Amino acid sequence: MQKLIYTVVIAIASFIGVQAQEFQGMAVYESKTSTSDFKSRMQGNKEMTPDMQKMMEERMKKAFEKTFILNFDKSASVYKEEEKLDATGQGNGGMRMMMSFTGGGGTYYKNVKEKSFTVDKEFMGKEFLIKDSLPNLQWKMESETRVIGGYNCFKATAVKPASKTDFRNFRPRREETATAKPADGAAKTSLLDNLEMPKDIVITAWYTPEIPVSQGPENYWGLPGLILEVNDGRTVILCSKVVLNPKVKTEIKASTKGKVTSQKDFDDAVTKKMEEFREMNQGRGGNGNMQMRIGN
């Protein structure tokens, strides 16, 4: 009898262990970055025709409004933009590169157990594989609560340095500084000269302990529950659907394509190239040209 009870206990423990290992979830996130400040600047630009403004607004909407899928288990996750047919026929390299720097493009793999991430990025026609440690966000637990998608959520806040290679972090300069001239008197004509990057960004996250995994969209993690919403003031990432233990399992693994590099080395390379673009555009003397190159 004791042997039978022992066998049953072992079987139950093994079953629970297998279930824990096989646990998987899927979450859909809608990401939207406000472009109202850019639109107001375009409307005040006499050099831009209504057709040009409309085209730029459509491109900004495509770049800054996206849908992502997060597949996760207890220790790892894969965050990837939902694949859509490119109805505009503009799915070229330049557009893919822009998508990569506005929160889309590539496969973002997080391993919270190892505190590491891997993401593949395309830049200037080359494939890079960024491997590095996950950001160590110092979350502050707040007392506020709310319900998102039927899940009870708690609020947490953190401050993180602004990524220099995430174009969503750019803000138009204030009018008095955007139109200012450098000390040598040369006119600033580059689009990048009229943009600025904040030093830090305040993050507000809403997580649910009802889904006890330390996962979330993009590079957000480290809370005692799945993060269902992230807000940095301009960008809101909101979960619209959660499926736990879906019938069809997804392989959660990191991408292997691209030249391996660290986040810092990649950021330095992109920043250097952006500076070259800025100087080149100053030499050609045109805001509009730079805007078109970014959009194409």
Side-chain angles (χ1 to χ4, degrees):
M1 185 66 177
Q2 289 181 341
K3 184 177 180 180
L4 177 60
I5 294 175
Y6 177 78
T7 302
V8 171
V9 170
I10 293 297
I12 293 175
S14 300
F15 175 77
I16 293 175
V18 170
Q19 287 293 98
Q21 291 177 349
E22 293 182 349
F23 167 79
Q24 194 173 111
M26 185 274 290
V28 180
Y29 292 87
E30 308 295 337
S31 175
K32 184 175 182 179
T33 300
S34 173
T35 58
S36 58
D37 44 6
F38 289 99
K39 290 179 181 179
S40 61
R41 288 292 179 86
M42 285 193 297
Q43 292 172 355
N45 188 344
K46 297 180 180 180
E47 296 181 359
M48 293 190 70
T49 66
D51 288 341
M52 291 174 62
Q53 291 182 17
K54 183 178 180 181
M55 178 185 66
M56 289 299 296
E57 289 179 8
E58 290 176 350
R59 291 183 176 180
M60 283 193 296
K61 181 177 181 180
K62 182 176 181 179
F64 293 112
E65 295 184 15
K66 303 176 182 180
T67 301
F68 295 86
I69 306 296
L70 178 74
N71 289 288
F72 59 90
D73 57 26
K74 288 288 186 179
S75 61
S77 67
V78 168
Y79 185 72
K80 191 172 183 178
E81 185 175 355
E82 184 181 52
E83 295 183 2
K84 296 179 181 178
L85 293 176
D86 191 351
T88 62
Q90 295 176 351
N92 53 47
M95 202 61 194
R96 287 197 301 271
M97 184 181 75
M98 275 301 297
M99 293 294 183
S100 180
F101 300 118
T102 52
T107 299
Y108 200 111
Y109 170 84
K110 293 196 300 287
N111 190 312
V112 298
K113 187 176 181 180
E114 300 176 356
K115 298 181 180 180
S116 64
F117 76 90
T118 301
V119 58
D120 52 326
K121 293 276 189 178
E122 179 181 333
F123 183 64
M124 301 301 293
K126 297 180 180 180
E127 295 284 347
F128 294 89
L129 189 65
I130 304 171
K131 291 187 175 184
D132 218 318
S133 300
L134 282 167
N136 184 22
L137 295 174
Q138 300 298 312
W139 292 108
K140 178 184 177 182
M141 302 304 190
E142 309 286 356
S143 59
E144 296 178 51
T145 63
R146 58 182 287 205
V147 176
I148 300 177
Y151 292 96
N152 294 309
C153 296
F154 295 83
K155 181 180 179 180
T157 58
V159 178
K160 73 171 186 177
S163 170
K164 296 180 180 179
T165 58
D166 189 338
F167 291 172
R168 294 172 300 176
N169 292 329
F170 277 115
R171 274 75 164 157
R173 291 184 185 274
R174 296 188 301 272
E175 292 292 343
E176 60 270 21
T177 57
T179 57
K181 293 184 179 181
D184 60 5
K188 286 192 173 185
T189 57
S190 170
L191 174 64
L192 294 178
D193 283 324
N194 291 324
L195 300 176
E196 62 183 357
M197 179 77 71
K199 181 180 179 180
D200 296 313
I201 298 178
V202 177
I203 307 298
T204 299
W206 295 89
Y207 67 94
T208 176
E210 294 173 14
I211 306 177
V213 295
S214 184
Q215 293 287 351
E218 296 191 5
N219 62 351
Y220 296 107
W221 71 291
L223 289 169
L226 180 66
I227 299 173
L228 297 186
E229 181 176 332
V230 174
N231 189 324
D232 73 0
R234 292 186 72 241
T235 300
V236 176
I237 307 174
L238 177 62
C239 181
S240 59
K241 180 181 180 181
V242 175
V243 178
L244 299 180
N245 289 314
K247 293 181 179 179
V248 179
K249 302 292 183 180
T250 300
E251 188 175 16
I252 299 176
K253 66 177 183 177
S255 176
T256 58
K257 62 179 181 180
K259 178 183 177 181
V260 177
T261 185
S262 67
Q263 185 69 63
K264 182 181 183 304
D265 288 345
F266 179 77
D267 289 349
D268 289 345
V270 173
T271 302
K272 182 180 179 181
K273 185 59 66 174
M274 288 172 62
E275 180 63 22
E276 291 176 3
F277 276 143
R278 186 188 68 82
E279 294 176 355
M280 179 179 64
N281 194 65
Q282 281 184 335
R284 296 181 179 181
N287 253 352
N289 290 338
M290 187 61 177
Q291 289 170 335
M292 293 302 293
R293 281 197 293 275
I294 287 179
N296 289 334

